[in-house]
Amino acid sequence: MNKNLKKCKHVSLIGTLMLFLFLTYLEPSVLAMNDIEKQPNSTTDINTPVNKYVINLQLNQLTHSVDGFLALGYTNKASTSFDELYFHLYPNAFKKEGGKITVNWVKNEKNKPLDYKIIGKDSTLIEVKLSRRLKPGDKITILMNFRIKVPRLQYRFGRWNGTYNLGNALPIISLYNEEGWNNDPYCRWGETFNSDFSLYRVSLTVPESFSVAATGCTVKMLHHKNATKTVYYETGLVREFALVASKHYKTISDSWKNITINSYYFPEHESRGREALGFAKRAIIDFSEHFGRYPYDEYNVAETYFGGGMEYPNLVMIGTSLYNSGSTALLESVVAHETAHQWWYCLVGNDQCDDPWLDEAFAVYSDVLYHEWKYGPKAGKKHLNLQKFGYILWNGEEVPLGEGILSFGQQTYGPLIYNKGSCVLAMLRSLVGDEKFFTILSTYFNRYKFKLVELEDFIDSAEEVSGIELDWFFDQWLWDTGYTTYSLQDALTWETSEGWKLLMKVTQSNPSFKMPVPTEIILVDNSTKRARVWMGDEQGTFVLDLNLKPSCIIIDPSDDILGAEQYNKKDVEIVSNKQ
């Protein structure tokens, strides 16, 4: 792997001072462009040019605002020419709460002003008119001056009690792909983010008393006479840059194979902060060993004022209520879930808007696996059953899991994408077996890390590794709705000259589903035989050859197929001949 992905290079003292002097003291356009040119153009993992950001930020605690300057080195990787570019301005979705982002000016690489207009739902987009047509392969530098007003809100973007969450707060270039510009609106109850992999150099000036958890690595820190300090960050290839800054933080760290894991916590939660560190380290190890190595130098878990958890490259925000809880079970689960997103979204670049199943279902099932690996199969099964019944006991109107997030509502998203979606992965595991399933995940990760993916990319990986054509499986579980319930109606056996025959009749509640149903046959000597019977109609009759007399049958003994039944067992009736 190219060292630019793995190591945060130090910049020279003179270059750093010149580059990151705050905007009000100099025009930074030339310096920013020079610094962009110093950033590596490609890596051994990414053979195409990447976007390069230089960002200067200054937090004002009195006005609860962040003054910023951004320089973006952008390459047109599309096959079409552009006359305009689009940036997301997500803070404008929070105007009702007092949050917003004001763009003061936009310029090109020659320091010439560019025309722009604020558009989109909730004014969360800026359209920048280019001074020249940007042809395929052409490069351009865009400069932008802005101010972010941080609302008083306990959320991924907000402030509370001296802590500032800047998640999805910075201007970010919209992604252009075969669908066109991905100018999807902001979603409060989910994520609609889909950005390209980029390199960042960021400076942040904060009060001296503040500690900061952020994307990337800290490469330098300068302390000023006015009781402020400037922290400088550099990243490997990441999809966005986020940070949490607080005057209350305490920090504890651990490491694994040259990866530093940091836990940022409030002083009253020291024991929970230490536990969160342990959970994060265990998740980093388990996911690295089973999916593929975490490729960055640092990983940060930050307690903050937020209702649950939120993932960003090298950084996860974890709600303080989880540190207050009497039990650590939920804290552990959320830390594992958000850490899993480092693999599924942050590294394998799924589209959270169009393919939410690739995002949240994978993180939920990774949390199931974390519990299975740490506490044993029964714990993993118990964790999976929480997902199963979260869906089964829900009575809302269904939407196919393969749909985009905007097809769901706030009340349907969790039971379907999180709960049902993770159960689909569990069924895939049962179908192909453990060895092939985990090879599917590792192949998918290693093939597509630092790349953008679609649903078909995972399906192709699953079919390639398993050697099974799986359209029938994904079509019904991702593009159909509901589930099915099996019932064992009859179980008859009779002796033959070669052994025993077993006849069983099985019905299902939803005949549109076609699944190989696992069965377990218990023989008279208490040994077992397992087989799968294909159910594709309302009722199926199956005859099996056995060496010994069967005593009972269990349908779906491990409860692998998503349905309402838990245990379907029937004693076998002996008959004199086939009835």
Side-chain angles (χ1 to χ4, degrees), residues 3 54 68 89 120 130 155 157 256 279 304-305 311 378 426 449 522:
K3 291 182 179 179
V54 174
L89 304 177
L130 304 179
Y155 197 55
F157 173 60
W256 176 73
F279 302 150
T304 190
Y305 295 97
E311 71 278 1
K378 289 185 179 180
K449 63 182 177 182
I522 301 176

Side-chain angles (χ1 to χ4, degrees), residues 104-149:
N104 298 316
W105 51 253
V106 182
K107 297 179 180 180
N108 65 12
E109 63 266 31
K110 296 181 180 180
N111 216 27
K112 301 297 183 181
L114 296 176
D115 292 333
Y116 62 89
K117 59 181 178 181
I118 308 299
I119 61 172
K121 182 181 179 181
D122 297 325
S123 300
T124 53
L125 286 167
I126 180 172
E127 180 186 82
V128 178
K129 294 293 184 180
L130 304 179
S131 55
R132 59 180 174 87
R133 174 163 287 192
L134 194 66
K135 297 178 181 179
D138 284 356
K139 299 179 181 180
I140 193 172
T141 298
I142 300 295
L143 312 175
M144 186 182 297
N145 178 269
F146 57 90
R147 170 171 286 188
I148 299 170
K149 185 71 173 179

Side-chain angles (χ1 to χ4, degrees), residues 178-199:
E178 65 276 3
E179 298 179 358
W181 290 104
N182 284 215
N183 292 338
D184 302 299
Y186 190 87
C187 181
R188 289 289 192 97
W189 44 264
E191 293 86 41
T192 52
F193 311 125
N194 186 30
S195 53
D196 209 347
F197 289 91
S198 304
L199 296 169

Side-chain angles (χ1 to χ4, degrees), residues 272-309:
R272 288 290 191 263
R274 291 181 179 274
E275 288 174 307
L277 177 65
F279 302 150
K281 180 180 179 179
R282 179 64 185 252
I284 288 286
I285 294 172
D286 282 349
F287 299 155
S288 289
E289 291 179 343
H290 288 88
F291 305 152
R293 177 69 182 269
Y294 179 81
Y296 304 108
D297 278 353
E298 293 191 18
Y299 180 58
N300 302 304
V301 178
E303 177 185 6
T304 190
Y305 295 97
F306 182 39

Side-chain angles (χ1 to χ4, degrees), residues 112 187 206 240 280 282 324 419 450 454 495 521 531 537 571:
K112 301 297 183 181
C187 181
V206 294
E240 58 202 326
R282 179 64 185 252
N324 277 322
N419 300 145
F450 304 116
E454 298 177 347
E495 191 172 12
I521 304 159
D537 296 304
D571 290 335

Side-chain angles (χ1 to χ4, degrees), residues 15-296:
T16 301
L17 287 170
M18 292 180 66
L19 170 63
F20 292 108
L21 280 174
F22 188 64
L23 178 62
T24 54
Y25 297 107
L26 56 83
E27 282 290 335
S29 56
V30 175
L31 297 174
M33 285 187 289
N34 288 340
D35 194 68
I36 285 173
E37 291 304 316
K38 294 177 185 177
Q39 296 191 46
N41 193 50
S42 63
T43 71
T44 55
D45 294 272
I46 297 292
N47 295 318
T48 58
V50 297
N51 300 333
K52 303 167 186 177
Y53 289 87
V54 174
I55 301 176
N56 306 336
L57 304 170
Q58 184 167 2
L59 173 65
N60 188 321
Q61 201 180 182
L62 296 178
T63 61
H64 304 300
S65 61
V66 178
D67 289 306
F69 164 77
L70 173 150
L72 168 66
Y74 179 81
T75 301
N76 180 5
K77 294 185 284 186
S79 59
T80 188
S81 298
F82 300 146
D83 293 311
E84 60 276 320
L85 297 177
Y86 296 88
F87 289 77
H88 293 281
L89 304 177
Y90 293 125
N92 283 341
F94 295 85
K95 287 185 176 180
K96 291 182 179 179
E97 292 89 352
K100 65 178 181 177
I101 180 170
T102 301
V103 175
N104 298 316
W105 51 253
V106 182
K107 297 179 180 180
N108 65 12
E109 63 266 31
K110 296 181 180 180
N111 216 27
K112 301 297 183 181
L114 296 176
D115 292 333
Y116 62 89
K117 59 181 178 181
I118 308 299
I119 61 172
K121 182 181 179 181
D122 297 325
S123 300
T124 53
L125 286 167
I126 180 172
E127 180 186 82
V128 178
K129 294 293 184 180
L130 304 179
S131 55
R132 59 180 174 87
R133 174 163 287 192
L134 194 66
K135 297 178 181 179
D138 284 356
K139 299 179 181 180
I140 193 172
T141 298
I142 300 295
L143 312 175
M144 186 182 297
N145 178 269
F146 57 90
R147 170 171 286 188
I148 299 170
K149 185 71 173 179
V150 186
R152 188 173 184 272
L153 189 65
Q154 297 188 49
Y155 197 55
R156 60 194 177 201
F157 173 60
R159 59 178 172 85
W160 200 269
N161 190 28
T163 301
Y164 293 78
N165 299 338
L166 296 186
N168 310 106
L170 304 179
I172 187 169
I173 188 74
S174 181
L175 174 69
Y176 187 91
N177 58 19
E178 65 276 3
E179 298 179 358
W181 290 104
N182 284 215
N183 292 338
D184 302 299
Y186 190 87
C187 181
R188 289 289 192 97
W189 44 264
E191 293 86 41
T192 52
F193 311 125
N194 186 30
S195 53
D196 209 347
F197 289 91
S198 304
L199 296 169
Y200 283 82
R201 285 180 175 170
V202 179
S203 75
L204 172 66
T205 301
V206 294
E208 183 68 54
S209 60
F210 273 57
S211 296
V212 183
T215 300
C217 298
T218 301
V219 296
K220 189 178 293 295
M221 185 181 300
L222 297 179
H223 300 270
H224 311 301
K225 293 182 179 180
N226 62 349
T228 65
K229 62 185 177 185
T230 302
V231 190
Y232 304 97
Y233 301 93
E234 291 186 1
T235 75
L237 286 169
V238 295
R239 302 189 73 187
E240 58 202 326
F241 187 94
L243 65 91
V244 184
S246 178
K247 62 183 179 181
H248 302 297
Y249 274 152
K250 301 293 183 181
T251 310
I252 187 172
S253 302
D254 201 346
S255 63
W256 176 73
K257 291 189 176 181
N258 298 320
I259 300 168
T260 300
I261 301 117
N262 304 305
S263 174
Y264 293 79
Y265 59 89
F266 299 141
E268 62 272 24
H269 297 147
E270 180 177 356
S271 62
R272 288 290 191 263
R274 291 181 179 274
E275 288 174 307
L277 177 65
F279 302 150
K281 180 180 179 179
R282 179 64 185 252
I284 288 286
I285 294 172
D286 282 349
F287 299 155
S288 289
E289 291 179 343
H290 288 88
F291 305 152
R293 177 69 182 269
Y294 179 81
Y296 304 108

Side-chain angles (χ1 to χ4, degrees), residues 405-416:
I405 190 174
L406 299 180
S407 298
F408 297 82
Q410 186 172 0
Q411 303 305 316
T412 62
Y413 186 59
L416 293 175

